[in-house]
Amino acid sequence: MKILMVITSHDQLGNTGKKTGFWLEEFAAPYYVFKEAGVEMVLSSPKGGQPPFDPKSDEKEFQTELTTRYKQDKEAQAALANTVKLAGVTHDGFDAVFYPGGHGPMWDLAEDPDSIALLEAFYAAGKYLALVCHAPGVLRHVKAPDGNWLVKGKKVTGFTNTEEEAVQLTKVVPFLVEDELKAKGGVFSKADDWKPYVLIDGKLVTGQNPASSGPGATVLLALLRSR
């Protein structure tokens, strides 16, 4: 199996002067789920090279066994430091695409023509899309082959309004993931804040928050194995 992981290149948290990027757990947890299953991975980002991680995700309270493992894993660090440019990537040869979250994707990947085209191509080819936390927000401009919004009528989840309120960024982010998915016709549901929650609707897998990133990857892997 071969999975493409698409990671944000955006590092500015709106106009706050603070840094953002991808959320460390949301890369590390899926990375090791896939690695231990023998999956071949290609890591990509809009700018290529080293994607920025959200410094908050590196704080002690957000560390997990897998983020600690990543920090000791030179091979994983080298892979992440050398992401390929998204513009040169197609769905050919891949079984699925996985988007980790963090706030960064809301600014770049959500509006990136290459990302939008790639997701549409994966979906049109009958391949799986998996997106967790803020990453489901990158579906906001993505359409299905019939011309409707891809999420229209589909069961979806993502970072909730109450979770965004809890981190006090409701007024900072360019849009709210929950509201945007609903606006595009998604059938949005959620678990309690910060609890793992993953939904499957056809070829689309979405996870609610950082705690859903490992489970989301596990679900994707199970779907690929059961084909």
Side-chain angles (χ1 to χ4, degrees):
M1 283 185 282
K2 189 174 180 181
I3 293 175
L4 174 67
M5 290 183 75
V6 180
I7 304 159
T8 183
S9 292
H10 184 84
D11 70 351
Q12 296 297 314
L13 189 61
N15 297 318
T16 63
K18 296 179 180 177
K19 293 290 190 180
T20 189
F22 70 91
W23 196 259
L24 196 54
E25 180 185 0
E26 294 175 38
F27 167 75
Y31 178 87
Y32 289 113
V33 167
F34 299 146
K35 182 178 174 65
E36 290 179 2
V39 172
E40 182 183 350
M41 283 177 279
V42 172
L43 309 183
S44 182
S45 65
K47 294 181 180 177
Q50 176 72 56
F53 67 86
D54 188 322
K56 193 154 188 71
S57 71
D58 199 29
E59 291 177 3
K60 187 175 181 180
E61 65 183 295
F62 300 117
Q63 296 312 296
T64 68
E65 181 183 340
L66 294 178
T67 60
T68 301
R69 179 176 170 184
Y70 165 74
K71 289 179 186 177
Q72 299 166 349
D73 186 341
K74 299 299 183 189
E75 182 183 341
Q77 291 169 25
L80 190 61
N82 293 283
T83 66
V84 299
K85 278 194 176 179
L86 189 59
V89 179
T90 71
H91 71 86
D92 293 337
F94 291 103
D95 298 290
V97 62
F98 188 100
Y99 277 60
H103 283 91
M106 302 183 76
W107 278 276
D108 64 350
L109 292 169
E111 309 299 330
D112 188 300
D114 295 314
S115 176
I116 293 163
L118 184 73
L119 287 162
E120 290 178 345
F122 262 89
Y123 192 78
K127 297 178 178 180
Y128 285 100
L129 317 181
L131 311 95
V132 296
C133 198
H134 287 88
V138 311
L139 297 170
R140 68 187 309 217
H141 300 308
V142 176
K143 292 186 174 180
D146 64 4
N148 285 313
W149 298 118
L150 189 144
V151 300
K152 184 179 179 182
K154 291 189 176 62
K155 293 180 288 186
V156 289
T157 191
F159 205 64
T160 66
N161 291 354
T162 50
E163 287 169 326
E164 203 68 82
E165 287 165 11
V167 297
Q168 301 180 345
L169 292 174
T170 302
K171 299 287 192 285
V172 174
V173 291
F175 61 91
L176 295 172
V177 174
E178 177 178 341
D179 286 355
E180 188 66 14
L181 291 172
K182 289 175 178 176
K184 294 296 164 70
V187 183
F188 190 93
S189 63
K190 58 191 176 184
D192 291 340
D193 289 357
W194 316 116
K195 300 297 184 186
Y197 188 65
V198 178
L199 287 177
I200 306 164
D201 194 321
K203 300 292 185 182
L204 180 62
V205 179
T206 49
Q208 180 176 322
N209 46 32
S212 308
S213 55
T218 300
V219 164
L220 177 61
L221 199 56
L223 290 168
L224 290 172
R225 285 173 166 163
S226 68
R227 287 174 302 176

